[in-house]
Amino acid sequence: MRSSAYAEWAVVRRARLRIAVITGAIITLLITVVGGVADTVMTHAQNDQVWRELRYGAARGDLSSPPVCTWLYAPGVTPLANAPAGFPVRADVDEVRRTQDAVERSVRRHGTVYLVSTRARADGTVVQAVFDLRYQLADRRNLWFALGVAEAVGLVAAAVTGLVLGRLSVAPLAEALARQRRFVTDASHELRTPVTQVYTRAQLLARQATAEELPAPHREGLARLVGSAGRLGEVLDDLLLSASLARGPASPAERRPVDLVALARSVVAEETDRTRDAGLTVSVEGPSQSLFVDGIESALRRAVGELLSNAISHTPADGRIEVALARSGAMVALTVADTGSGFEPAEADRLFERFHRGGDGGRYGLGLALLREVVTSHRGTVAATGHPGRGARFTIRLPECAAPPARTPPTAAPEPAVEAGHP
């Protein structure tokens, strides 16, 4: 699975590549069409010219002095010393003698092609004219070689042109994506403070309403206001975290070994009140020793918290949630399984899409999508399995890293020496 930043970059790259491929395909098609037309025209013109010369040679040519690359065979005439073997074609000669109709054909011999025209002259002599097409065939091969060179040059030009056109045409898309990320970041930063103030003031008003025993409708309205402001703050936190992940991988200075076992137990402890109010049983199973992964603790805490929060939201009262940690080869696996409503197996991948609405009508918002971004930015994977009414299981796998070096406690400063005889 891929982060949103990588997905955006992949879209831009695919657009550039598509433009380059289309440009190359157009140039290739044009060169191929031009080559095909040129070869057809050349072949037709050469064949027409050769056949005209052969027909004239067979009907009226000098039998003792034929044109270059042409040999004339007739009764009582000695062929030239360089005449190709296998001629004349006796079957054609016999047929012309019998029918007095001209016979023309092409013959492939000795690695080349010969055009053969056999006809009877006015005096009744049957003459066979043979023409060697080797030079014409060489011209055609040279034509296709030249076209191949032009094709190679055209492909290079197409690649360069495609890259240039791709950058120029896709630049607005890349700029729009960058502006969108900047807008999300700026808007989230600007809204974070007023939303926090609204949330704090709403909490104070809710406490005062409880102390002053306001009517129940007012207290319920204030409670809903507190919940709405809190959820809005969580959405802004999600947007800020997503924008920070979209900027690229964190620098080495921002990452450090994180004990995933301790982090998971801490997240479960923070949700104790919520799980108790919901009537849920939550257990954490894992090794007694620590399992460290390299990353940003706040982002990983958000990811684990999202898994647990998602399980709590989709598990009815008296349900059970199990958080399990284990070492799996060079990876650390964290699994959150619940006995909740589950989901259709076909929706497993779509759960990580932003604001995906499940088949049960439940909306998943930014949480699981952001979870995937966090995991992939830590070079890990996340997978989901489940069945309707039989619960769900989400598994995060992150590369294990070495434990951080133990801190050496500072050495106490030596006490000053006291001379004898002095207090």
Side-chain angles (χ1 to χ4, degrees), residues 215-395:
H218 294 351
R219 292 198 302 271
E220 293 175 359
L222 287 174
R224 286 194 294 269
L225 177 60
V226 171
S228 299
R231 286 190 294 273
L232 180 57
E234 293 175 357
V235 171
L236 291 177
D237 289 338
D238 288 345
L239 292 174
L240 285 172
L241 181 55
S242 179
S244 66
L245 293 174
R247 289 195 298 267
S251 64
E254 296 176 304
R255 307 174 75 97
R256 67 178 183 85
V258 178
D259 183 359
L260 202 59
V261 175
L263 185 145
R265 296 183 185 278
S266 175
V267 171
V268 171
E270 291 174 356
E271 296 286 353
T272 300
D273 292 340
R274 184 180 174 190
T275 55
R276 184 178 58 247
D277 294 341
L280 304 177
T281 301
V282 181
S283 62
V284 181
E285 300 178 0
S288 56
Q289 71 274 20
S290 299
L291 296 176
F292 288 95
V293 296
D294 184 60
I296 303 175
E297 182 176 1
S298 59
L300 292 175
R301 179 178 293 274
R302 193 63 179 276
V304 177
E306 175 58 33
L307 283 186
L308 183 59
S309 177
N310 179 72
I312 295 173
S313 300
H314 292 84
T315 304
D318 299 327
R320 182 176 180 81
I321 299 174
E322 296 180 356
V323 181
L325 297 104
R327 181 182 287 108
S328 176
M331 310 289 284
V332 175
L334 183 147
T335 302
V336 177
D338 61 64
T339 58
S341 56
F343 55 86
E344 292 288 345
E347 293 187 354
D349 290 335
R350 298 183 59 196
L351 293 178
F352 300 97
E353 297 177 1
R354 295 179 180 232
F355 302 109
H356 168 66
R357 186 179 294 277
D360 59 353
R363 193 172 184 179
Y364 292 87
L366 282 172
L368 292 181
L370 182 59
L371 162 69
R372 181 176 63 179
E373 293 181 20
V374 171
V375 173
T376 52
S377 68
H378 285 74
R379 297 177 291 113
T381 61
V382 58
T385 58
H387 295 277
R390 295 163 54 186
R393 176 184 298 268
F394 290 80
T395 302

Side-chain angles (χ1 to χ4, degrees), residues 21-100:
V21 170
I22 292 175
T23 305
I26 292 175
I27 292 179
T28 301
L29 180 61
L30 288 176
I31 293 177
T32 303
V33 170
V34 170
V37 172
D39 181 73
T40 301
V41 172
M42 174 183 288
T43 301
H44 184 73
Q46 288 179 341
N47 288 343
D48 282 351
Q49 180 181 358
V50 171
W51 281 119
R52 284 197 302 269
E53 292 178 357
L54 279 180
R55 290 162 185 161
Y56 179 83
R60 300 183 179 84
D62 186 354
L63 297 178
S64 61
S65 180
V68 178
C69 295
T70 303
W71 296 270
L72 298 177
Y73 299 89
V77 177
T78 302
L80 298 178
N82 63 347
F87 293 100
V89 180
R90 295 299 179 183
D92 291 356
V93 173
D94 294 341
E95 183 176 352
V96 171
R97 284 176 180 171
R98 186 177 64 255
T99 63
Q100 296 297 306

